Amino acid sequence: MTIDDGKLVRTQGVTAPLGFRAAGIAAGIKKSGKPDLALVFNEGPDYAAAGVFTRNKVKAAPVLWSQQVLTGGRLRAVILNSGGANACTGPGGFQDTHATAEELAKALSNWGTETGAGEIAVCSTGLIGDRLPMDKLIPAVTEIVHEMGGGLQGGAEAARAIMTTDTVPKEAAFHHRDKWNVGGMAKGAGMLAPSLATMLVVLTTDVVATPAQLDEALRNATGYTFDRLDVDGSCSTNDTVLLLANGASGVTPSQADLNAAVLAVCDDLAEQLMSDAEGVTKRVHITVKGAVSEDEALIGARAIARDSLVKTAFFGSDPNWGRVLASIGIAPIELDPNRVSVSFNGSPVCVDGAGAPGAREVDLSGPDIQVLVELNLGDGEATVRTTDLSHGYVEENSAYSS
Amino acid sequence: MTIDDGKLVRTQGVTAPLGFRAAGIAAGIKKSGKPDLALVFNEGPDYAAAGVFTRNKVKAAPVLWSQQVLTGGRLRAVILNSGGANACTGPGGFQDTHATAEELAKALSNWGTETGAGEIAVCSTGLIGDRLPMDKLIPAVTEIVHEMGGGLQGGAEAARAIMTTDTVPKEAAFHHRDKWNVGGMAKGAGMLAPSLATMLVVLTTDVVATPAQLDEALRNATGYTFDRLDVDGSCSTNDTVLLLANGASGVTPSQADLNAAVLAVCDDLAEQLMSDAEGVTKRVHITVKGAVSEDEALIGARAIARDSLVKTAFFGSDPNWGRVLASIGIAPIELDPNRVSVSFNGSPVCVDGAGAPGAREVDLSGPDIQVLVELNLGDGEATVRTTDLSHGYVEENSAYSS
């Protein structure tokens, strides 16, 4: 499959595939009164699912819960809250997650769909360390079940309700010409790093697929997209990416086609996350080519993406290529300093380890910066998305909890 | 030896020990006209020396030169310039370093001290990627030899001439009660990270010691001081720390005493570097205790020190301890999230992985922040010095080359 076998849109999300409902409401978790509770509901007939979670050893209660649930490869619903991460909240925090799932199972059963708590994933995002206001959350669970809509509006509302410091909701959907679909929504603006990010993503599809097939498609897609998005090198306690499939289209695509469609949606969501990252003024793609392996290319690209001096230079539209050399020079990869070449937006700034003529005059004043580092050692290549390090980033992150 | 066996002062530097001369002049390398060339000269009778250099694979020409020179374990002089790193400058840049050493050897020989280029270390600091203005540098080499003074003024002038974005010169000296001395000067304000930093340090001592003894003292000291100073995770192409001993005091201290004195001077210089780091508004000491080993404690402390979200929170005087947990949780070390405790300036903010009462009210408004993370797994302990991530840091580094 190629992207030409269908159509990618940003106007639709988790309710783009057949047989999914969603909703987003204000439960009162956020003091601002903005929407803070989202629900994605799978109408069936299948309930296959897969998930990828943060690699942080400090895992939020909802991550511990949802990892457990996903061992069954089956999900009926996902409930997500913003306004609190429910991380580092001890046994009480885990009980809160469990109670939320139990409450949703009861509400869905009352609504007419017999559901167990073990078929429900829970996601949370927000400040680490505080308990959730369960007195507000629990009654809102029944309310949101009644709000669920089957149309695109439900998906849009859910995407809005998971936002924290995001300035825009993030949705994407791929409609395959053979009448099957993949949709998704994402949130995340800071603490974006490998092993995902403070990032919650729910993907839905109406294909017929086993949990193992979904798992393969999901790991392939996250490996190339969210895992290669690195805003600040930080990694959240709450990162979760879920993929739900209900078979409602009746179509069973090949594994390759499913992989490609899930990758296309994730890639677009990752681009949206980068573009809305905290304090972003530059969208930066860093490609390392000619490494001895793809792994080493990725390590090198990530080292550059995380370097504060590179990122502040880009904020200043400063083609300070020496910082790129210094940055990749300390990465634990094979490298011959005299064979490294670098270009910014296609203009050579460093050739064979030394400055190129005109390097200091390269114009980086636009919003997009493409960095290409050629190591000239092998065939390994990888690209990492990042942003600049701006006053806006400092401002936003120095006043987040207070 | 303890610090009580002598006296540590900040008013003296490389000319505090007997038998060293130094000078600092304006050679015209910096466009500002500020001092930019420094010389440290060893009058003998011994010329033993040791050096520690950047671990960056991209090494500046003067680093490649000085590493080569140091294999002989002997130095008569060190010449240092600010205003240009002479890094990523190709074979021509290496020839410039060589020519500088040759010129100094000639000038010292003319002055009456027969010297070879192979006894001279060269250090450079400043912007990566540009060739040095040799038409200005070469005549200044003879001039600075004539300027050399034996008193404390020469050392102070040298310390001033190696500054780049430093706002104050950095000197320290330890006078042992047994009539021997260690002195030092340092520069460095950004790109401060493990494996040293964009940091140049010259240490002098009048003890009698072999190159091997100096090497042991120097590696021990840098391992505990400059290697544990991490302002922005960046590592320079030019980092160099040199230790010169001339035996002028006639005293041969024990290895342990020499280690302790060199460590005391390096520790004080590292504290000065932290306090003058680019954009610093908070001096931060991060201690990890109870790790399974000292190495793991260091990895954990460094991970926290490098985390942009932790550093911006400190800039905002925000006791956002969840970011400390998230940060150490992704470090590649052994860790049980339910046994981690954290305190800020002695106030517990997290106990056994969950928030402590009053954690959000801890006052971090002062200039010093002590972070203590207790892993409760073993005896490993390490402390890393860092700073906050401020608007000043972004401002300074977004406009450095332009």
Side-chain angles (χ1 to χ4, degrees):
Chain A
M1 191 204 93
T2 72
I3 199 83
D4 297 330
D5 290 325
K7 193 177 167 192
L8 186 75
V9 297
R10 285 188 177 175
T11 49
Q12 302 173 19
V14 290
T15 48
L18 301 172
F20 286 95
R21 290 173 180 249
I25 66 170
I29 306 166
K30 286 180 181 165
K31 285 178 188 148
S32 65
K34 288 186 178 169
D36 50 21
L37 189 65
L39 177 64
V40 179
F41 175 66
N42 179 357
E43 296 185 303
D46 302 339
Y47 305 99
V52 174
F53 299 91
T54 182
R55 281 190 282 246
N56 202 310
K57 291 182 201 75
V58 179
K59 293 186 203 319
V63 168
L64 296 171
W65 170 266
S66 299
Q67 278 186 314
Q68 179 75 17
V69 166
L70 257 294
T71 56
R74 178 184 171 90
L75 279 183
R76 281 214 187 235
V78 185
I79 186 156
L80 313 93
N81 77 273
S82 52
N86 196 7
C88 303
T89 45
F94 189 81
Q95 285 162 17
D96 292 343
T97 294
H98 186 180
T100 304
E102 288 287 359
E103 186 69 18
L104 181 57
K106 198 171 69 179
L108 286 171
S109 298
N110 289 341
W111 186 73
T113 303
E114 200 59 43
T115 304
E119 300 172 298
I120 292 170
V122 181
C123 302
S124 299
T125 178
L127 186 63
I128 296 171
D130 291 334
R131 295 280 294 273
L132 291 172
M134 295 305 286
D135 57 324
K136 292 172 179 160
L137 185 49
I138 288 295
V141 168
T142 296
E143 186 190 337
I144 201 168
V145 167
H146 293 138
E147 290 288 333
M148 283 195 306
L152 297 178
Q153 193 191 336
E157 284 172 359
R160 188 166 291 278
I162 57 173
M163 291 164 60
T164 52
T165 56
D166 306 69
T167 66
V168 291
K170 286 126 190 143
E171 293 189 288
F174 184 78
H175 299 285
H176 196 279
R177 64 160 69 132
D178 293 342
K179 306 284 180 200
W180 56 275
N181 313 284
V182 177
M185 66 178 184
K187 69 79 46 180
M191 225 186 241
L192 288 172
S195 0
L196 312 177
T198 290
M199 201 186 65
L200 301 181
V201 179
V202 179
L203 302 161
T204 54
T205 179
D206 46 24
V207 303
V208 178
T210 65
Q213 290 170 319
L214 297 177
D215 192 67
E216 179 183 328
L218 189 60
R219 286 180 195 281
N220 174 70
T222 56
Y224 284 108
T225 57
F226 305 122
D227 274 355
R228 296 188 183 187
L229 171 66
D230 196 324
V231 167
D232 49 20
S234 302
C235 178
S236 158
T237 51
N238 290 57
D239 301 327
T240 302
V241 184
L242 301 172
L243 172 56
L244 287 67
N246 62 11
S249 70
V251 180
T252 307
S254 68
Q255 182 74 46
D257 281 1
L258 178 61
N259 287 0
V262 173
L263 176 61
V265 171
C266 289
D267 192 57
D268 193 77
L269 290 172
E271 187 78 13
Q272 293 184 52
L273 289 168
M274 171 182 67
S275 301
D276 192 33
E278 287 172 349
V280 60
T281 79
K282 305 282 186 186
R283 297 181 294 253
V284 184
H285 290 84
I286 295 172
T287 300
V288 172
K289 280 188 177 172
V292 298
S293 68
E294 183 183 338
D295 280 354
E296 293 220 342
L298 183 57
I299 291 167
R302 209 188 287 294
I304 299 167
R306 284 186 176 183
D307 191 289
S308 294
L309 289 167
V310 169
K311 292 159 78 83
T312 47
F314 288 158
F315 172 57
S317 301
D318 179 358
N320 194 335
W321 58 269
R323 292 181 178 176
V324 173
L325 270 280
S327 167
I328 200 162
I330 200 66
I333 61 172
E334 204 174 319
L335 179 150
D336 176 349
N338 298 316
R339 294 174 72 181
V340 179
S341 295
V342 180
S343 72
F344 290 160
N345 288 343
S347 299
V349 288
C350 169
V351 176
D352 295 340
R360 302 265 180 244
E361 280 72 52
V362 170
D363 181 11
L364 299 183
S365 61
D368 285 289
I369 298 178
Q370 308 282 339
V371 178
L372 174 61
V373 179
E374 173 59 73
L375 300 182
N376 285 306
L377 295 176
D379 294 327
E381 176 176 345
T383 298
V384 168
R385 288 179 169 101
T386 188
T387 61
D388 55 338
L389 174 53
S390 70
H391 285 306
Y393 180 87
V394 172
E395 190 62 30
E396 195 149 353
N397 285 300
S398 59
Y400 184 59
S401 88
S402 44
Chain B
M1 191 204 93
T2 72
I3 199 83
D4 297 330
D5 290 325
K7 193 176 167 192
L8 186 74
V9 297
R10 284 188 177 176
T11 49
Q12 302 173 17
V14 290
T15 48
L18 302 172
F20 285 95
R21 291 173 179 248
I25 65 170
I29 306 165
K30 285 180 181 165
K31 286 179 187 145
S32 65
K34 288 186 178 168
D36 49 20
L37 189 65
L39 177 65
V40 178
F41 175 66
N42 179 357
E43 296 186 302
D46 302 338
Y47 305 99
V52 175
F53 299 91
T54 181
R55 281 190 282 247
N56 202 310
K57 291 183 201 75
V58 179
K59 293 185 202 319
V63 168
L64 296 171
W65 171 266
S66 299
Q67 277 186 315
Q68 178 76 18
V69 166
L70 257 294
T71 57
R74 178 183 170 90
L75 278 183
R76 281 212 187 238
V78 184
I79 186 156
L80 313 92
N81 76 274
S82 54
N86 196 7
C88 303
T89 45
F94 189 81
Q95 285 162 21
D96 291 343
T97 293
H98 187 181
T100 304
E102 288 286 358
E103 185 69 18
L104 180 58
K106 199 171 71 181
L108 287 171
S109 297
N110 289 341
W111 185 73
T113 303
E114 200 60 42
T115 306
E119 299 171 299
I120 292 170
V122 181
C123 302
S124 299
T125 178
L127 185 64
I128 297 171
D130 292 332
R131 295 281 294 273
L132 292 172
M134 295 305 286
D135 56 325
K136 292 172 179 159
L137 185 48
I138 289 296
V141 168
T142 297
E143 186 191 337
I144 201 167
V145 167
H146 293 138
E147 291 288 333
M148 283 194 307
L152 298 179
Q153 194 190 337
E157 283 172 359
R160 189 167 290 279
I162 57 174
M163 291 163 61
T164 53
T165 55
D166 307 68
T167 67
V168 291
K170 286 127 190 139
E171 293 189 288
F174 183 78
H175 299 284
H176 196 279
R177 64 160 68 131
D178 292 341
K179 306 283 182 201
W180 56 275
N181 312 283
V182 177
M185 66 177 184
K187 69 79 48 180
M191 224 187 240
L192 288 172
S195 0
L196 313 177
T198 290
M199 200 186 66
L200 301 182
V201 178
V202 179
L203 302 160
T204 54
T205 178
D206 45 25
V207 303
V208 178
T210 65
Q213 290 170 321
L214 297 177
D215 191 68
E216 180 183 327
L218 189 60
R219 285 181 195 282
N220 174 70
T222 56
Y224 283 108
T225 57
F226 305 123
D227 274 355
R228 295 187 183 188
L229 172 66
D230 195 325
V231 167
D232 49 20
S234 301
C235 179
S236 158
T237 51
N238 289 56
D239 301 328
T240 303
V241 184
L242 301 172
L243 172 57
L244 287 67
N246 62 12
S249 70
V251 181
T252 307
S254 69
Q255 182 75 47
D257 281 1
L258 178 61
N259 287 2
V262 173
L263 176 62
V265 171
C266 289
D267 192 58
D268 193 77
L269 289 172
E271 187 78 12
Q272 292 184 51
L273 288 168
M274 172 182 66
S275 300
D276 192 33
E278 288 172 349
V280 60
T281 79
K282 305 282 186 186
R283 297 180 294 253
V284 185
H285 290 83
I286 295 172
T287 300
V288 172
K289 280 187 176 172
V292 297
S293 68
E294 183 183 341
D295 279 355
E296 293 220 343
L298 183 57
I299 291 167
R302 210 189 285 296
I304 299 167
R306 286 187 174 184
D307 192 289
S308 295
L309 289 167
V310 169
K311 292 158 80 82
T312 46
F314 288 159
F315 172 56
S317 301
D318 179 359
N320 194 335
W321 59 269
R323 291 182 178 177
V324 173
L325 270 279
S327 168
I328 199 161
I330 199 67
I333 62 172
E334 204 174 319
L335 180 150
D336 176 349
N338 298 317
R339 295 174 71 181
V340 180
S341 295
V342 180
S343 72
F344 290 160
N345 289 343
S347 300
V349 290
C350 170
V351 176
D352 295 340
R360 302 265 179 243
E361 280 72 52
V362 172
D363 181 12
L364 299 183
S365 61
D368 285 288
I369 299 178
Q370 308 282 340
V371 178
L372 173 61
V373 179
E374 174 58 74
L375 300 183
N376 285 307
L377 295 176
D379 294 328
E381 175 176 346
T383 298
V384 167
R385 289 179 168 101
T386 188
T387 61
D388 55 338
L389 174 53
S390 69
H391 284 306
Y393 179 88
V394 172
E395 191 62 31
E396 195 150 352
N397 285 300
S398 59
Y400 183 59
S401 87
S402 44

